Amino acid sequence: MKRLPERNPISTPAGAPDPTLARTRKELFVRQLFDSLSARYDRFNSLASLGLHRLWRAKALQAMDLPPRGTLVDFCCGTGDFLDLAARRLGANWRLVGLDFSSQMLAIARSRLSRLGEDGRIELRLCNVEFSGLPSDHADAVTCGFALRNVESLENTFREMYRVLRPGGRLGLLELSQPEHPLLRKGFWIYLNHVLPYLARPVIRERIPLSYLSSSVRGFRSPAEVVGMLTRVGFREAEARPVFLGVCQIYTATKAV
């Protein structure tokens, strides 16, 4: 199996805050949580979403309506799910950059993507996504899958995404959400709090990861609030598209020209 070239190791951007030094208790907790789950994360993700997260990522990428070539930056790339999909769907004319502050998740992403990076078009950067260290107007597309709940400041993260995008660049985000219909919402919480712990038992027996998943979904912004925040930051054409009965939202937007 070919490896990512040595000239493209996992790097820490010059001038960016040291990602190993958490600024807040939440950042420390989230980084330590995902470092500890890294080897089991992909299996858990597939169990939790019943394998649907791959379909949802594909739908988000399709909704972005991207050009034939460019640069895509995946915020909170984790083990590289979105980067893997983008490399396969977008082809060799796209350069891909993954950002994350969990070194263990990035190590798995590096191993996973090694077979796709022989031409040096995939770069992984260890950094806090609120301070990516990337140049302004750098990317044609920015993605983030199921990680908006994990950042310290959602607005600051959106501002960094906006800064990194070129004018006219496209944004594509995925996040879990609570269904609007009362019965669907009740079923969602029954699944999350009672069914999922049983399904996930072969992979995760600890209570903390499942408790965090539940509390972070419950405390996250509504789709209307997320769209409003994207608009305030400067994005235009911001919209939310519910999928799978509203369990997941696809957010798309465009940086103003």
Side-chain angles (χ1 to χ4, degrees):
M1 180 180 290
K2 294 183 178 180
R3 296 182 179 276
L4 284 169
E6 287 302 313
R7 62 189 177 88
N8 270 343
I10 297 172
S11 59
T12 300
D18 185 345
T20 65
L21 300 177
R23 299 172 303 150
T24 66
R25 291 178 63 184
K26 178 178 179 178
E27 285 186 1
L28 179 62
F29 170 79
V30 170
R31 179 167 56 79
Q32 291 179 337
L33 175 66
F34 282 96
D35 276 346
S36 69
L37 291 177
S38 58
R40 299 171 287 167
Y41 179 78
D42 287 335
R43 285 183 294 161
F44 172 70
N45 209 15
S46 293
L47 281 171
S49 68
L50 305 177
L52 292 172
H53 71 98
R54 298 183 183 89
L55 174 63
W56 297 340
R57 292 177 201 274
K59 284 180 175 290
L61 202 61
Q62 183 178 26
M64 295 173 73
D65 192 22
L66 297 176
R69 64 180 65 242
T71 297
L72 180 147
V73 178
D74 188 31
F75 278 55
C76 307
C77 68
T79 58
D81 266 322
F82 239 139
L83 294 173
D84 193 341
L85 174 68
R88 297 174 188 279
R89 294 292 181 93
L90 299 180
N93 290 327
W94 275 82
R95 179 173 175 267
L96 308 175
V97 182
L99 313 176
D100 207 287
F101 74 169
S102 167
S103 60
Q104 297 303 310
M105 297 284 274
L106 281 180
I108 291 176
R110 179 181 172 83
S111 175
R112 173 184 191 166
L113 298 168
S114 60
R115 65 190 181 280
L116 304 172
E118 64 273 12
D119 54 1
R121 66 192 179 96
I122 301 176
E123 178 187 0
L124 299 176
R125 296 165 71 99
L126 180 66
C127 65
N128 186 313
V129 296
E130 294 181 37
F131 309 95
S132 72
L134 292 170
S136 298
D137 303 334
H138 178 71
D140 302 279
V142 163
T143 55
C144 182
F146 306 107
L148 298 175
R149 294 170 288 111
N150 302 329
V151 300
E152 178 65 30
S153 170
L154 187 60
E155 183 168 344
N156 287 347
T157 302
F158 285 164
R159 291 189 185 281
E160 182 68 354
M161 291 174 172
Y162 188 87
R163 185 189 67 79
V164 167
L165 273 171
R166 294 188 179 111
R170 291 286 285 161
L171 181 73
L173 312 172
L174 278 167
E175 191 50 271
L176 296 175
S177 63
Q178 303 180 54
E180 290 188 2
H181 192 283
L183 288 179
L184 292 176
R185 180 175 292 203
K186 183 176 181 179
F188 172 76
W189 287 113
I190 289 174
Y191 173 77
L192 206 62
N193 292 328
H194 302 287
V195 178
L196 179 57
Y198 175 78
L199 292 178
R201 193 173 298 169
V203 179
I204 294 179
R205 292 182 175 271
E206 307 98 301
R207 295 181 59 184
I208 291 177
L210 297 172
S211 176
Y212 173 72
L213 174 63
S214 178
S215 63
S216 64
V217 172
R218 190 180 297 275
F220 192 65
R221 309 259 184 166
S222 70
E225 289 173 324
V226 172
V227 169
M229 186 177 294
L230 289 170
T231 302
R232 288 196 303 274
V233 165
F235 285 101
R236 59 181 178 83
E237 302 171 358
E239 61 177 319
R241 309 179 191 189
V243 294
F244 200 64
L245 304 175
V247 167
C248 173
Q249 298 287 333
I250 296 174
Y251 299 98
T252 55
T254 304
K255 182 172 178 176
V257 177

